[in-house]
Amino acid sequence: MKTLGIGLYWDDLTTGERFKTLNRTITEPDIVNFIGVTGMVETLFTDLTFADHGAGSGNGRVAPGALVYTMTEGLLVQSTMQTTGLALLEVEKKILAPVFSGDTIHAEVEVVGIRPTSKGNRGIVTTMNNVLNQQNKKVLTYKAVRMMAGKPQK
């Protein structure tokens, strides 16, 4: 019987390949739960009047950049790495614009490097991940280097 939901194998990917994730709306509970569980209880995230004091934009509760990044990773794990993602080895990220409660994000991903490991049926895959909001404005960009499983050997 075939198992559904298996991620991509490194040896099925090609350099230059591009794909897009599904959308995800960032909600108020997402932000509140994230700042609570991580201890990121900065006034910027916990005080909705913070913009009145000369900071913030007044567009509602701002989401920590770490939340936007991890939600994007969640979208990718669900769609591309389920059972095939073995290790996240390196991340280089830049936050470009704020994300607020009610904003909807998705990622556009390009495979920029692929190489086999020296042993085992594994490969190293490097991707450039651009996170965009509902206006198609880039809010975060990051390069990720991962170890991924290869196609099962018969």
Side-chain angles (χ1 to χ4, degrees):
M1 182 180 307
K2 183 176 183 173
T3 301
L4 299 178
I6 302 296
L8 304 172
Y9 297 106
W10 77 269
D11 40 0
D12 281 335
L13 296 169
T14 57
T15 301
E17 185 172 354
R18 296 173 51 99
F19 52 88
K20 176 183 162 182
T21 67
L22 295 172
N23 291 340
R24 173 65 157 82
T25 299
I26 308 296
T27 66
E28 182 83 8
D30 291 332
I31 298 170
V32 172
N33 289 330
F34 185 85
I35 62 176
V37 78
T38 61
M40 296 179 81
V41 289
E42 285 184 59
T43 303
L44 175 63
F45 306 132
T46 62
D47 181 357
L48 289 176
T49 68
F50 192 59
D52 298 341
H53 304 288
S57 69
N59 290 336
R61 191 176 308 275
V62 66
L67 176 141
V68 177
Y69 162 72
T70 54
M71 287 196 140
T72 303
E73 281 292 290
L75 290 170
L76 287 166
V77 166
Q78 295 168 36
S79 58
T80 67
M81 293 177 272
Q82 201 63 263
T83 76
T84 61
L86 302 177
L88 178 60
L89 304 173
E90 181 182 335
V91 175
E92 182 181 321
K93 71 177 171 271
K94 187 176 219 179
I95 297 166
L96 304 172
V99 172
F100 297 94
S101 176
D103 282 354
T104 299
I105 61 167
H106 72 273
E108 294 179 359
V109 179
E110 181 177 1
V111 178
V112 295
I114 304 170
R115 68 175 176 79
T117 60
S118 59
K119 57 183 170 180
N121 186 21
R122 302 175 287 192
I124 305 300
V125 177
T126 303
T127 58
M128 279 305 302
N129 307 280
N130 293 306
V131 183
L132 293 90
N133 67 13
Q134 66 276 10
Q135 281 99 30
N136 275 336
K137 179 178 182 180
K138 197 183 300 184
V139 296
L140 181 124
T141 187
Y142 67 99
K143 178 177 84 171
V145 180
R146 309 174 197 279
M147 183 182 298
M148 295 184 71
K151 289 185 271 192
Q153 313 230 331
K154 296 187 181 196

